[in-house]
Amino acid sequence: MHAAENRDPADQKPAPGSLLTRVPGRARPQKEALQEFEKAVAELRQQYEPVFWPLFVPEAKEMFRWRVELECGCTHEVFTHGEDKYPDDRSNLDPITRRRLPVGEYWCPTEHGPIQKPYRDIVEWVDRKIMEFPADPEEPEYDWMDVEIWAKIRKPGPHLSAFWRVKLACGHYDQVCTDVDWKPEDGPKIVSEERISEIRRDFEESWAAADNTGWPEKGSERDHIRKMIDLRWPRPEPERDCFACTQVGRITGYQRIGWLVSKTSPAPASSPGIDRKKIEARLAAAEAEVQRLRKQLDNPNDA
Ligand SMILES: [Zn+2]
Ligand SMILES: [Zn+2]
């Protein structure tokens, strides 16, 4: 067993500042960057009560601008809390799951064209949410679905499903649906030898058809089906296709641009001379409010 192979991707961190380089291209005008920042801040202020702003809403004058290059070749501008806080120092956000990405990765907003999502082993069943669904409709839910197949899988009454948040081997998070009574320690359910022979035959026949349009098409999807057949069709499946893997890029280099608000020019009107004492007092008030809300959540009747 090699330690390096078992290392969580979140732990693979280059030395601070080791990726400083010259990033090709030019920085956009400072005014444009500030406008975008203020727009994002205005949205955050809408999301949170003012008492939480010191915790969740960054201040323009604390922000340092960087140009960052990713392994996909794209360059983007990012902000950090200072000229010695490097863009790969801490983990960035996955905007879909709102979970942190492994350190050194960045969600590239560029559209890279269709890419098949790679399958990754599920390494942790983190937590779950139970959701209730009404009875399925009598007619198939999808146009392409066979009526007989629908009759077999249709749930005639209201039913519950569990949605598990799972951590994948790549360090990303995704969601997997299971039966409510399933627990990770049970391991996956598998089908009989007889049933798996039928499933294998059905897929092989559809893939061997002359026009070869059988689902799923060649590539990682079909490889995944073959693997599941070899494992006797486990439910839940031990792997999941990872959307984040098609969207994130490792940060390959970064270059300083400068402070978002020039240190010599006066601070913008939105943050008039806030000193440390004031921020600390606001932080204490916010923390007290969090405590109070937590208590209220724990003891809803005492509110
Ligand atoms: Zn990109
Ligand atoms: Zn991934």
Side-chain angles (χ1 to χ4, degrees), residues 105 118 120 168-173 242-246 248:
E105 286 186 4
R120 306 292 191 205
L168 306 177
C170 50
H172 303 139
Y173 290 83
C242 182
F243 176 59
C245 269
T246 67
V248 295

Side-chain angles (χ1 to χ4, degrees), residues 142-300:
Y142 314 98
D143 292 346
W144 49 266
M145 192 174 270
D146 191 83
V147 177
E148 269 175 44
I149 295 178
W150 179 245
K152 271 189 209 162
I153 62 170
R154 171 178 178 258
K155 295 216 163 65
H159 50 280
L160 301 172
S161 284
F163 285 83
W164 283 88
R165 182 159 48 159
V166 293
K167 186 175 186 187
L168 306 177
C170 50
H172 303 139
Y173 290 83
D174 215 315
Q175 212 177 44
V176 168
C177 180
T178 71
D179 289 339
V180 175
D181 55 8
W182 181 83
K183 300 181 296 300
E185 52 269 34
D186 299 343
K189 286 177 192 153
I190 53 173
V191 302
S192 67
E193 289 285 0
E194 199 186 352
R195 178 76 190 112
I196 200 61
S197 303
E198 284 171 15
I199 293 175
R200 189 189 298 272
R201 196 184 52 231
D202 286 352
F203 273 108
E204 294 296 349
E205 273 173 15
S206 105
W207 293 336
D211 54 0
N212 195 22
T213 53
W215 178 90
E217 60 189 52
K218 278 182 185 165
S220 62
E221 283 288 334
R222 192 173 290 188
D223 294 344
H224 167 72
I225 295 282
R226 284 193 204 281
K227 188 171 167 187
M228 293 306 107
I229 290 173
D230 289 344
L231 293 172
R232 278 180 47 188
W233 213 248
R235 288 292 178 275
E237 295 180 347
E239 59 180 24
R240 177 87 173 92
D241 50 345
C242 182
F243 176 59
C245 269
T246 67
Q247 213 56 42
V248 295
R250 193 147 273 283
I251 294 173
T252 51
Y254 38 76
Q255 178 178 2
R256 290 187 179 92
I257 300 173
W259 291 95
L260 178 58
V261 179
S262 155
K263 288 287 168 190
T264 50
S265 67
S270 61
S271 52
I274 294 163
D275 61 32
R276 205 177 163 78
K277 277 225 157 60
K278 277 189 195 155
I279 293 176
E280 277 168 0
R282 281 160 65 192
L283 197 60
E287 277 163 358
E289 179 67 4
V290 170
Q291 287 285 332
R292 191 184 68 76
L293 290 172
R294 279 228 175 93
K295 230 182 222 161
Q296 210 169 311
L297 274 181
D298 291 344
N299 311 295

Side-chain angles (χ1 to χ4, degrees), residues 76-136:
H76 296 289
E77 178 170 331
V78 306
F79 304 121
T80 69
H81 282 84
E83 57 191 328
D84 294 319
K85 296 273 187 267
Y86 301 100
D88 59 345
D89 266 2
R90 47 168 294 181
S91 48
N92 293 292
L93 202 64
D94 170 343
I96 308 285
T97 63
R98 312 299 298 169
R99 299 285 298 197
R100 295 274 153 200
L101 292 170
V103 170
E105 286 186 4
Y106 186 78
W107 189 274
C108 183
T110 310
E111 181 58 64
H112 294 117
I115 310 170
Q116 277 198 341
K117 294 183 279 181
Y119 276 85
R120 306 292 191 205
D121 286 340
I122 295 170
V123 295
E124 189 186 344
W125 296 81
V126 183
D127 52 21
R128 65 174 205 171
K129 219 171 29 193
I130 305 285
M131 286 177 73
E132 200 179 338
F133 295 91
D136 288 334

Side-chain angles (χ1 to χ4, degrees), residues 51-70:
V51 70
F52 295 119
W53 290 357
L55 289 175
F56 300 117
V57 184
E59 300 254 357
K61 63 173 184 173
E62 290 160 8
M63 292 291 121
F64 194 82
R65 300 172 62 198
W66 299 82
R67 301 197 65 237
V68 166
E69 188 170 32
L70 306 178

